Amino acid sequence: MSTSLLRRAVAEGLGTGLLVAVVIGSGIAAAKLSPNDVGLQLLENAFATALGLAVLILMLGPVSGAHFNPVVSAADWRLGRRNGTGITGRDLAAYVPAQVLGAIAGAVLANLMFGEPAVSWSTTDRSAGHLWIGETVATAGLIMVIFSLTWTGRAAMAPAAVGAYIGSAYWFTSSTSFANPAVTIGRAFSDTFAGIAPGSVPGFVFFQVFGAIVGAGLVVVLYPDFGRSAEVVVPHKDAGVVS
């Protein structure tokens, strides 16, 4: 692996890990601060996640593009093949493991910060058809937000827009919008407010992938003349060369 790719993979792992730490940590804090009000817990969790994600994109976007999500990386690779843009297959092979490992590390970090066991497998079952529909909608919408902005030259708006979308999708989707296979895996390592039982992970991941395919297809249909200079999630440079 080249130094350039290693640096970007580290950024993806770090960003995904910190995102999971924000999601789980704010969930634990919300449960402690508002123990008798689930609605308020969700509001606190969503608010922290939306702001944290926007900040992470701003911080690490210039290094790796701030995907922090395997389906975003896969969509960038696949859609980029149409126009000679996006990440390469080699980049994708480095990004995805880094994102998954980072997510697991982020869950462990959040657990330890709040005095929980480093790993406590979640017991929150999320296996139901309506939740899978929610994940499909959440992930398709996320892909559409990201690529509609980047393909039309508005990538500078991505940090705020992606954060706002995820924050709102906590509320308008039945699944509370995981929309990210790596984050889903990481959240299985914490038996807290934001957790998901390991047995529920495959169903969520399957429908996240399906949602990403739907979202990418809609982007191609809606923006057929764009995409020639896509930079996902934000423009990034490495060694002075736009990647």
Side-chain angles (χ1 to χ4, degrees):
M1 183 183 296
S2 67
T3 302
S4 167
L5 181 54
L6 177 61
R7 183 185 302 113
R8 285 182 279 134
V10 168
E12 285 297 303
L14 177 62
T16 311
L18 290 175
L19 174 58
V20 172
V22 169
V23 172
I24 294 178
S26 62
I28 296 173
K32 291 179 180 292
L33 294 170
S34 310
N36 301 314
D37 192 333
V38 177
L40 184 55
Q41 291 173 14
L42 185 61
L43 178 61
E44 292 162 348
N45 192 204
F47 183 71
T49 300
L51 294 182
L53 178 55
V55 169
L56 289 171
I57 293 173
L58 286 170
M59 180 172 68
L60 295 170
V63 180
S64 67
H67 297 186
F68 310 151
N69 188 332
V71 295
V72 172
S73 296
D76 187 24
W77 167 74
R78 183 65 185 87
L79 293 175
R81 293 179 65 189
R82 301 171 66 249
N83 307 303
T85 61
I87 63 173
T88 66
R90 186 163 174 261
D91 293 338
L92 180 63
Y95 274 30
V96 172
Q99 291 160 350
V100 173
L101 292 174
I104 295 171
V108 171
L109 175 61
N111 288 337
L112 292 175
M113 283 196 296
F114 285 89
E116 302 287 339
V119 174
S120 56
W121 297 110
S122 177
T123 56
T124 304
D125 180 67
R126 300 180 188 266
S127 297
H130 68 284
L131 300 180
W132 296 335
I133 293 173
E135 276 304 283
T136 301
V137 171
T139 311
L142 176 63
I143 296 297
M144 291 183 68
V145 168
I146 291 171
F147 284 90
S148 66
L149 290 175
T150 57
W151 279 25
T152 56
R154 297 174 293 162
M157 300 174 64
V162 172
Y165 175 78
I166 291 298
S168 64
Y170 259 79
W171 289 89
F172 77 76
T173 65
S174 57
S175 63
T176 66
S177 184
F178 286 45
N180 185 326
V183 169
T184 302
I185 293 170
R187 288 169 72 161
F189 284 73
S190 183
D191 190 20
T192 57
F193 178 79
I196 177 173
S200 299
V201 169
F204 261 51
V205 171
F206 177 85
F207 284 96
Q208 288 160 357
V209 172
F210 177 65
I213 293 170
V214 171
L218 288 171
V219 169
V220 171
V221 170
L222 294 172
Y223 299 95
D225 298 324
F226 293 93
R228 298 187 179 280
S229 59
E231 299 275 2
V232 179
V233 171
V234 296
H236 54 285
K237 295 184 178 182
D238 193 80
V241 179
V242 176
S243 57

